Amino acid sequence: MSSTDDLLRAIDDAPRGSGVLAIFDFDGTVIDGYSAEVAYRDRLRRADIGLDELIRTGSAALEMALRERDVHRLMNVGIAHLAGRTEDDMRAWGTRLFRERFAAMIYPDVRRLVAAHRRAGHHVVMATSATPYQARDVAVDLGFDALACTVPEVRDGVLTGKLETPALWGPAKADAVAAYAREVGADLGQAFAYSNGAEDEPLLALVGRPVALNPDGALARTAHRRGWTKAHLAAPQRGFGIVSTARTAGAVGALLGAVGLGVTTAALTRSRRTGANLVAAFGSELALTVAGIDLRVTGAANAWSARPAVFVFNHQSSLDLAVLGAVLGRDVTAVAKQEAAHDPRFMPVGALLDVAYIDRADRGRGRDALAPAVDKLQSGVSIVIAPEGTRSPTPWPGRFKKGAFHLAMQAGVPVVPVVIDGAGERMWRNSLIAHPGRVDVTVLEPIPTDDWTLDDLDERVEGVRELFVRTLGLD
């Protein structure tokens, strides 16, 4: 059984360039689970499936299981009941499922494999029997060059209920990949192919470098008999587990204890900043330790070399704030919308951390709206902001908003990028549970804003975002 490092070495040892194809199956290979099941359950929850479709789908699935039929009849039944849906609505549905479910199902080590192929200049293809509405957003997020999938027929922007192409399953998928290789002039003898299921034996037999990735029993036996590479990847860490849940509860308790100590210290010393510093540094480090988070920091000196500053970070997890507290240590606060100042759930934390409240609703006020945050910076307290504005479902940073950068320019302080790698794997954006493991943080060099202007701000902001992309190895 090969390890992920063995697979990465095989990629590094292979010829470089776009003449080498790397073909990945989707369900069970790129994601831990099956997208059709997720899509079907979502429609059931939303009462979007009638009795007739329920019966026909169940019959087709039973026939597939008992008579070992292929997926074509099941696909035809499913597509037939989507007749009349607009393609725009289907794409929006797929994007929502990606953000809510599929992004959390991607194997972390598949990201490493795809990134390694891209660094080698290989042509990376996803080949799947799924529809584009299930697979496209995952393919785009991972940086695939092409997507070969089962395509529904669309007329005037509306699904007809028929298939434009046969379902890409079994031999049909292998035939489609062979045709694509001829089209782009690739040598399949040099190609890689990754799949978990026995139905993809024709595809794996087609290439010179087949990999049975997370193989089912039948494929594992075939791979053993034919001498194909086999590997099992660690599944994404999601949901509740006894150890993870206990450690998370302990971490929350430790953080609440630190908050209580901070409040007491602030009252005794009559210094809210002293109490806040105690919570940020001591409380954050203690909570991460109890949760089993191994924090590795590169460029720690950059967190202290130019204060006060506006620290910008990529936001993917609820762990991020604890990570930032441990890395930045003291004399740091955040900004929040003005309405939060009256939210009883946030008021105690906001009061202790001396949060800067700004009126985000009144965009016409411009400089005046940022005045509370500017005052904090000019008093020597740094500000930490997630320029994406919300948590991203994947490691890719979203579009950066300009507020943090306007703030740095107005206060005359530098911008310091803090790149967090791995927090989303330890605690996904919608999760309540943290899982033990490593989180890497890189604090980049401070970026002066003295010569920035409103005319070049868009370019400056995009330049900072590109620093995150490169540091995360996503370019």
Side-chain angles (χ1 to χ4, degrees), residues 145-169:
D145 297 300
L147 170 63
C149 61
T150 302
V151 181
E153 184 180 71
V154 177
R155 295 289 181 267
D156 299 322
V158 177
L159 274 67
T160 66
K162 300 178 181 179
L163 291 177
E164 184 79 28
T165 64
L168 291 195
W169 193 90

Side-chain angles (χ1 to χ4, degrees), residues 11 92 111 132 138 240 272 283 372 383 413-414:
I11 296 169
R111 289 189 178 279
V138 174
F240 294 86
R272 184 161 49 178
I383 298 283
V413 302

Side-chain angles (χ1 to χ4, degrees), residues 311-395:
F311 291 96
V312 293
F313 69 100
N314 55 311
H315 194 16
Q316 198 188 347
S317 171
S318 296
L319 275 179
D320 292 341
L321 295 182
V323 168
L324 290 165
V327 172
L328 302 181
R330 65 175 185 272
D331 298 331
V332 178
T333 191
V335 296
K337 57 186 179 182
Q338 202 169 57
E339 292 83 351
H342 308 291
D343 185 338
R345 297 168 299 177
F346 186 79
M347 285 171 61
V349 176
L352 178 62
L353 299 182
D354 198 17
V355 164
Y357 294 102
I358 61 175
D359 187 359
R360 294 179 178 177
D362 189 359
R363 298 182 182 275
R365 290 179 60 201
R367 294 174 64 89
D368 290 343
L370 293 175
V374 171
D375 290 343
K376 289 286 188 297
L377 288 163
Q378 292 179 342
S379 72
V381 176
S382 295
I383 298 283
V384 62
I385 301 180
E388 296 165 273
T390 187
R391 285 171 289 184
S392 171
T394 77

Side-chain angles (χ1 to χ4, degrees), residues 424-471:
E425 294 179 20
R426 307 281 75 80
M427 187 176 189
W428 193 58
R429 65 194 295 260
N430 293 333
S431 178
L432 298 175
I433 302 299
H435 297 270
R438 175 171 167 174
V439 174
D440 292 291
V441 178
T442 303
V443 186
L444 301 181
E445 293 184 1
I447 303 170
T449 60
D450 302 342
D451 60 344
W452 287 19
T453 67
L454 294 179
D455 291 336
D456 67 6
L457 185 57
D458 287 341
E459 181 181 346
R460 299 283 193 177
V461 171
E462 185 56 29
V464 174
R465 183 180 176 278
E466 283 300 316
L467 291 175
F468 279 84
V469 170
R470 288 199 297 272
T471 304

Side-chain angles (χ1 to χ4, degrees), residues 171-193:
K173 184 191 292 187
D175 291 343
V177 168
Y180 185 80
R182 290 192 297 270
E183 179 184 334
V184 299
D187 178 6
L188 286 173
Q190 297 289 348
F192 293 78

Side-chain angles (χ1 to χ4, degrees), residues 179-244:
Y180 185 80
R182 290 192 297 270
E183 179 184 334
V184 299
D187 178 6
L188 286 173
Q190 297 289 348
F192 293 78
Y194 303 84
S195 181
N196 73 302
E199 73 277 2
D200 277 336
E201 288 179 19
L203 170 63
L204 295 174
L206 196 65
V207 302
R209 296 180 170 89
V211 181
L213 198 62
N214 311 314
D216 60 23
L219 180 58
R221 289 189 293 272
T222 299
H224 179 74
R225 185 177 69 253
R226 304 188 63 164
W228 293 345
T229 299
K230 291 187 295 181
H232 282 283
L233 304 184
Q237 294 180 305
R238 303 287 182 258
F240 294 86
I242 295 176
V243 174
S244 296

